[in-house]
Amino acid sequence: MGKNPPSIILAAVALASLLLICMVHLNGWSVDFTDRDMRLIVTDSMDGEPTDYDIPTIEKDSMVMVRLIDDDEKLTLKEGDIIQFRSHGILNHHRVISNDIENAYATTKGDNAQFSEKVSYKDIRGIVVGKDHLLGMIVAFVKTNWMVLIIAIVAILVISEIWSRYLRADREG
């Protein structure tokens, strides 16, 4: 290998560092990932007109970081919070429009949805603390084009090896 690390190792380290920075950004610049859940938003139900809330809207193909909450924290949910909840076996993310503490449910509505829905506290998992559309677009691309990416990586490795052998032969020859 010589004194210099191969460029593929440097590229992998750079990519891993970029991914870590994106995850820390999603997590409010915190490196504490305990009680966290990252999800790719695959619908446009939260892609409405931007609001004045901390998270104005969530575009389709965005990554979100969700802080899982306990029963006591569900009592403090407020209008504008975006929660993660289970509905018909699927995780959804909608904005709280009211919180009925007495009856233990929050009324939610997607920013781009027609109707609101009541969500029981038992179905609420967490609150969205960050979003990143660029990272989400990358993840969505990889999910749908993973075979193309594998072929491209293999092609780069093969071309790199051929080029390396060519340079070695040129120096020796």
Side-chain angles (χ1 to χ4, degrees), residues 30-79:
S30 171
V31 293
D32 180 7
F33 292 101
T34 55
D35 298 330
R36 296 296 195 262
D37 184 24
M38 282 183 64
R39 294 288 168 170
L40 176 66
I41 302 300
V42 296
T43 70
D44 66 351
S45 70
M46 284 299 297
D47 193 2
E49 290 297 317
T51 64
D52 291 331
Y53 298 115
D54 290 341
I55 299 176
T57 192
I58 301 176
E59 300 87 355
K60 180 178 187 250
D61 293 334
S62 292
M63 287 298 296
V64 294
M65 181 70 73
V66 177
R67 181 176 55 81
L68 303 178
I69 60 175
D70 61 25
D71 290 339
D72 289 337
E73 291 177 287
K74 294 172 186 176
L75 301 172
T76 65
L77 291 173
K78 62 188 181 310
E79 180 183 339

Side-chain angles (χ1 to χ4, degrees), residues 1 9 23 25 32 34-35 49-50 64 75 84 119-120 167:
M1 240 196 252
I9 292 174
M23 289 175 60
H25 171 258
D32 180 7
T34 55
D35 298 330
E49 290 297 317
V64 294
L75 301 172
Q84 180 186 77
V119 179
S120 171
L167 291 176

Side-chain angles (χ1 to χ4, degrees), residues 66-123:
V66 177
R67 181 176 55 81
L68 303 178
I69 60 175
D70 61 25
D71 290 339
D72 289 337
E73 291 177 287
K74 294 172 186 176
L75 301 172
T76 65
L77 291 173
K78 62 188 181 310
E79 180 183 339
D81 288 341
I82 299 172
I83 59 171
Q84 180 186 77
F85 60 96
R86 194 166 299 281
S87 175
H88 307 292
I90 298 171
L91 288 176
N92 286 320
H93 303 80
H94 283 168
R95 194 175 304 278
V96 172
I97 56 176
S98 68
N99 187 6
D100 187 339
I101 297 168
E102 189 174 306
N103 294 305
Y105 70 83
T107 302
T108 69
K109 183 176 178 295
D111 292 347
N112 192 32
Q114 295 289 327
F115 305 101
S116 63
E117 62 187 306
K118 293 180 180 179
V119 179
S120 171
Y121 280 2
K122 68 178 176 45
D123 295 325

Side-chain angles (χ1 to χ4, degrees), residues 142-167:
V142 169
K143 280 181 73 171
T144 56
N145 298 293
W146 61 271
M147 188 60 108
V148 172
L149 290 173
I150 289 173
I151 291 169
I153 290 169
V154 169
I156 289 169
L157 291 173
V158 168
I159 291 169
S160 174
E161 182 62 23
I162 292 170
W163 184 253
S164 171
R165 289 180 185 204
Y166 169 77
L167 291 176

Side-chain angles (χ1 to χ4, degrees), residues 12-24:
V13 168
L15 186 60
S17 298
L18 182 61
L19 180 61
L20 181 61
I21 289 169
C22 287
M23 289 175 60
V24 170

